[in-house]
């Protein structure tokens, strides 16, 4: 068809023989093949693009989930550390409460109990001392 138009512009009549018809058919087949190839490539590209978007969103969502769980893990580890410290303090307190000397000292201090022949003197509260110190500093 291009040849006919080109020939019409030049005023030349195209040859209508077997070779020219075969060449025109071959050109038309190549054009159709190119169109089909471009369509296939476009569909393949679209599939690749959609798959990439899906994979990217999945990876992003998983990374967000992992980040949240890592933060939760850090919080739980800090909480565990606090509980372990508290447990150590309680174990120390249990050890002290099993000591007779500590118990007698605690009973004397809190309940004003005494051994035979001991006299207990009570002193003014320690709460008043910081106030006096604060007044002197001003």
């Amino acid at each position: 068809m291009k040849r006919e138009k080109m020939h019409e512009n030049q005023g030349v009549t195209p040859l209508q023989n077997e070779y020219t018809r075969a060449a025109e058919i071959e050109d038309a087949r190549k054009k159709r093949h190119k169109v089909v190839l471009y369509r296939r490539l476009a569909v393949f590209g679209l599939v690749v693009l959609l798959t990439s978007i899906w994979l990217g969103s999945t990876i992003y969502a998983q990374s967000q989930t992992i980040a949240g769980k890592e933060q939760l893990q850090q919080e739980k580890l800090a909480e565990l550390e606090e509980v372990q410290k508290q447990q150590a303090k309680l174990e120390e307190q249990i050890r002290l409460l099993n000591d007779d000397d500590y118990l007698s000292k605690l009973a004397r201090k809190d309940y004003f109990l005494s051994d035979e022949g001991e006299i207990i003197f009570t002193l003014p509260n320690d709460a008043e001392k910081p106030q006096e110190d604060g007044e002197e500093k001003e």
Side-chain angles (χ1 to χ4, degrees), residues 4-136:
E4 290 176 7
K5 287 183 181 181
M6 192 172 23
H7 294 300
E8 288 175 6
N9 291 340
Q10 294 175 358
V12 179
T13 306
L15 293 175
Q16 293 295 329
N17 62 15
E18 188 68 29
Y19 174 76
T20 56
R21 281 189 219 123
E24 287 176 358
I25 290 172
E26 183 65 23
D27 285 343
R29 187 189 65 78
K30 285 183 180 179
K31 285 180 186 178
R32 282 193 309 269
H33 181 69
K34 268 189 177 178
V35 169
V36 170
L37 179 65
Y38 288 139
R39 285 181 185 164
R40 285 182 188 162
L41 288 174
V43 169
F44 180 71
L46 182 64
V47 168
V48 168
L49 178 68
L50 292 176
T51 304
S52 299
I53 290 171
W54 176 72
L55 287 174
S57 65
T58 302
I59 290 171
Y60 178 74
Q62 287 178 351
S63 67
Q64 292 297 317
T65 303
I66 288 171
K69 288 186 179 186
E70 285 176 349
Q71 181 181 2
L72 182 63
Q73 181 185 18
Q74 293 299 322
E75 291 172 1
K76 294 299 179 182
L77 286 175
E79 186 178 325
L80 175 66
E81 191 175 309
E82 289 296 321
V83 168
Q84 287 174 341
K85 286 179 184 177
Q86 184 180 9
Q87 181 180 2
K89 286 180 184 178
L90 291 174
E91 286 174 353
E92 178 66 21
Q93 189 176 8
I94 288 171
R95 189 187 64 75
L96 288 174
L97 289 174
N98 287 330
D99 185 19
D100 290 335
D101 290 336
Y102 178 76
L103 281 177
S104 63
K105 188 186 254 186
L106 188 64
R108 285 186 192 121
K109 178 182 166 191
D110 292 340
Y111 301 109
F112 302 110
L113 298 177
S114 64
D115 283 338
E116 289 182 29
E118 238 180 13
I119 300 173
I120 298 177
F121 295 98
T122 57
L123 300 174
N125 290 339
D126 291 336
E128 294 177 6
K129 287 184 181 180
Q131 282 183 338
E132 292 172 4
D133 291 341
E135 290 174 2
E136 291 175 346

